[in-house]
Amino acid sequence: MFPESFEKTAKLLEVLPGVGAKTAQRYVFTLMKMSDEERNTLADALRGLNDLHACSTCGFLTAEEKCQFCSSKDRDSSRIMVVSYDQDAVAVERTDSYHGLYHILKGVISSTKGIYPEDLNLDSLFKRLDGVKEVIVATPFTVEGEMTAMYLDRVLKDKGVLVTRLAQGLPMGASLDYADDWTLTNALNNRKGMTND
């Protein structure tokens, strides 16, 4: 129905998460309203993605050999937070409450999807443990994330490293009656003392 270049662009946009045929068409119409210069700038930015790759140390996205975290002298190199994906590290960085290093697994263990420890970015983690006092496991609180956390706990404890896990529980402002049983149980199990100043 539409010209070939329109249809081809729409089809390519459908590979993005949450983008169906109608949304892809709306995106193409939006692109068509842009000036040639704006579309060329967007095309250049997309081509620039070809220069990105995983950091040789931690696996975070970078255009250099080492990422901004691994190359920084201001980070606490005695702590490594292990996350599943690059965007998890970005979420932690937004809090400005963690200043250690990261390690990106590029997934979680999932036997149903055929993802096993050897499929994750683990070898480079094991090679960088010299001088590391703590590994903080920050995988998701899902069945797969918990399996991954348990595996890391077992393997890293054998290497003499303190392994900690992010606390889990009720989000700020949540009512108890809206919380599911699993969340409430974890909130109860991970409770800590209150201090009075």
Side-chain angles (χ1 to χ4, degrees):
M1 178 179 282
F2 292 110
E4 184 182 345
S5 59
F6 184 103
E7 292 282 4
K8 182 179 178 183
T9 304
K11 204 71 181 156
L12 288 169
L13 289 172
E14 284 182 48
V15 303
L16 297 172
V19 177
K22 287 184 180 180
T23 301
Q25 288 177 1
R26 282 195 293 272
Y27 287 168
V28 177
F29 278 120
T30 301
L31 290 168
M32 293 301 301
K33 291 176 187 172
M34 297 170 114
S35 68
D36 288 349
E37 184 180 339
E38 289 172 318
R39 275 196 304 276
N40 287 335
T41 300
L42 177 60
D44 289 342
L46 289 172
R47 276 191 289 277
L49 294 177
N50 293 332
D51 299 331
L52 301 179
H53 55 86
C55 170
S56 60
T57 302
C58 75
F60 190 78
L61 201 59
T62 184
E64 311 299 326
E65 182 185 344
K66 292 190 182 240
C67 72
Q68 60 189 349
F69 304 119
C70 292
S71 59
S72 172
K73 301 206 183 318
D74 297 327
R75 307 296 296 197
D76 178 359
S77 61
S78 70
R79 286 186 173 78
I80 297 176
M81 182 180 290
V82 178
V83 297
S84 302
Y85 301 102
D86 300 64
Q87 52 268 45
D88 299 328
V90 172
V92 173
E93 278 299 291
R94 279 197 304 262
T95 69
D96 197 32
S97 58
Y98 175 73
H99 305 287
L101 299 176
Y102 292 97
H103 194 84
I104 319 299
L105 294 176
K106 303 294 184 188
V108 288
I109 297 169
S110 174
S111 55
T112 58
K113 294 178 183 171
I115 303 170
Y116 300 98
E118 58 270 19
D119 300 314
L120 301 178
N121 181 29
L122 286 170
D123 288 340
S124 58
L125 172 63
F126 302 147
K127 291 175 184 170
R128 59 190 292 224
L129 295 176
D130 278 349
V132 173
K133 295 177 184 171
E134 179 185 16
V135 172
I136 304 164
V137 179
T139 54
F141 294 107
T142 60
V143 172
E144 293 86 359
E146 287 298 315
M147 279 179 18
T148 306
M150 288 188 290
Y151 174 81
L152 287 168
D153 183 50
R154 184 170 41 87
V155 172
L156 292 172
K157 277 186 178 170
D158 288 347
K159 297 182 182 295
V161 177
L162 170 67
V163 181
T164 60
R165 180 90 163 109
L166 287 185
Q168 51 189 319
L170 297 169
M172 186 66 93
S175 297
L176 291 181
D177 58 336
Y178 287 109
D180 62 83
D181 294 345
W182 190 82
T183 300
L184 270 176
T185 301
N186 282 302
L188 183 61
N189 291 339
N190 292 300
R191 69 193 184 280
K192 55 185 175 181
M194 296 179 66
T195 57
N196 293 317
D197 295 323

